[in-house]
């Protein structure tokens, strides 16, 4: 029988991939990695995407979202959990950093699985935080 975890990307492996995917924040990722702070690494990638959006580099943002999807698809359950709860949840913030046209362009290239997760999170947030 095949060992499932051996074929998946754990936090350490994900960090190594992210160092390659995000060369401009590689040093920050390495520092957070040395502190075993995978959540911090994910947050730094989100912050970097916001900077790229301010610079109108939507194509680079799209590419980095697709790279994160690859890690998500191949990640352990813990890696997936953190990507869902930090990276995908940040799409609302990314949306606020764009105008409506930029968001339409960005959103159409977000992987369908990430779109589904984001929409479910948004619906749950609306239910949970609905004002009476």
């Amino acid at each position: 029988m095949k060992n499932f975890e051996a074929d998946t990307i754990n936090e350490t492996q994900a960090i190594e991939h992210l160092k390659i995917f995000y060369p401009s924040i590689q040093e920050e990722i390495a520092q957070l990695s040395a502190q075993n702070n995978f959540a911090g690494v994910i947050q730094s990638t989100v912050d970097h995407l916001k900077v790229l959006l301010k610079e109108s580099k939507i194509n680079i943002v799209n590419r980095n979202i697709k790279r994160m999807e690859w890690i998500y698809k191949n990640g352990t359950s813990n890696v997936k959990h953190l990507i869902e709860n930090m990276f995908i949840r940040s799409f609302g913030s990314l949306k606020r950093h764009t105008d409506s046209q930029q968001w339409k362009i960005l959103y159409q290239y977000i992987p369908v699985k990430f779109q589904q997760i984001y929409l479910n999170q948004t619906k749950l947030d609306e239910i949970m935080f609905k004002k009476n």
Side-chain angles (χ1 to χ4, degrees), residues 13 82 111:
Q13 294 164 324
L82 282 166

Side-chain angles (χ1 to χ4, degrees), residues 5-114:
E5 289 296 316
D7 294 325
T8 57
I9 297 172
N10 63 30
E11 290 180 15
T12 303
Q13 294 164 324
I15 288 169
E16 292 307 311
H17 288 290
L18 292 169
K19 285 180 190 175
I20 295 166
F21 295 161
Y22 293 85
S24 60
I25 60 170
Q26 189 176 60
E27 189 174 311
E28 181 180 353
I29 291 172
Q31 289 172 352
L32 292 164
S33 174
Q35 300 167 5
N36 293 320
N37 188 353
F38 184 60
V41 170
I42 297 296
Q43 185 60 52
S44 69
T45 64
V46 169
D47 294 343
H48 183 65
L49 293 181
K50 290 177 187 176
V51 169
L52 292 171
L53 284 174
K54 286 180 185 176
E55 298 170 354
S56 296
K57 295 181 178 177
I58 293 175
N59 289 336
I60 297 170
V61 172
N62 282 330
R63 184 175 59 226
N64 286 327
I65 290 172
K66 287 181 181 6
R67 289 172 172 169
M68 191 65 78
E69 179 203 25
W70 179 82
I71 292 172
Y72 178 84
K73 280 182 177 178
N74 296 290
T76 63
S77 60
N78 193 46
V79 168
K80 288 180 179 183
H81 178 77
L82 282 166
I83 290 173
E84 287 174 6
N85 289 294
M86 296 189 73
F87 189 81
I88 297 173
R89 187 164 287 282
S90 76
F91 289 174
S93 178
L94 296 179
K95 183 178 181 180
R96 289 188 294 278
H97 282 81
T98 62
D99 62 35
S100 61
Q101 185 62 29
Q102 287 174 320
W103 178 248
K104 284 180 187 176
I105 293 167
L106 180 63
Y107 192 78
Q108 73 182 2
Y109 292 107
I110 292 175
V112 172
K113 180 68 175 173
F114 279 12

Side-chain angles (χ1 to χ4, degrees), residues 85 89 116-130:
N85 289 294
R89 187 164 287 282
Q116 292 169 337
I117 294 167
Y118 173 67
L119 290 173
N120 286 336
Q121 289 172 342
T122 303
K123 286 177 187 175
L124 286 173
D125 287 350
E126 288 173 2
I127 293 168
M128 299 269 306
F129 301 111
K130 185 177 182 179

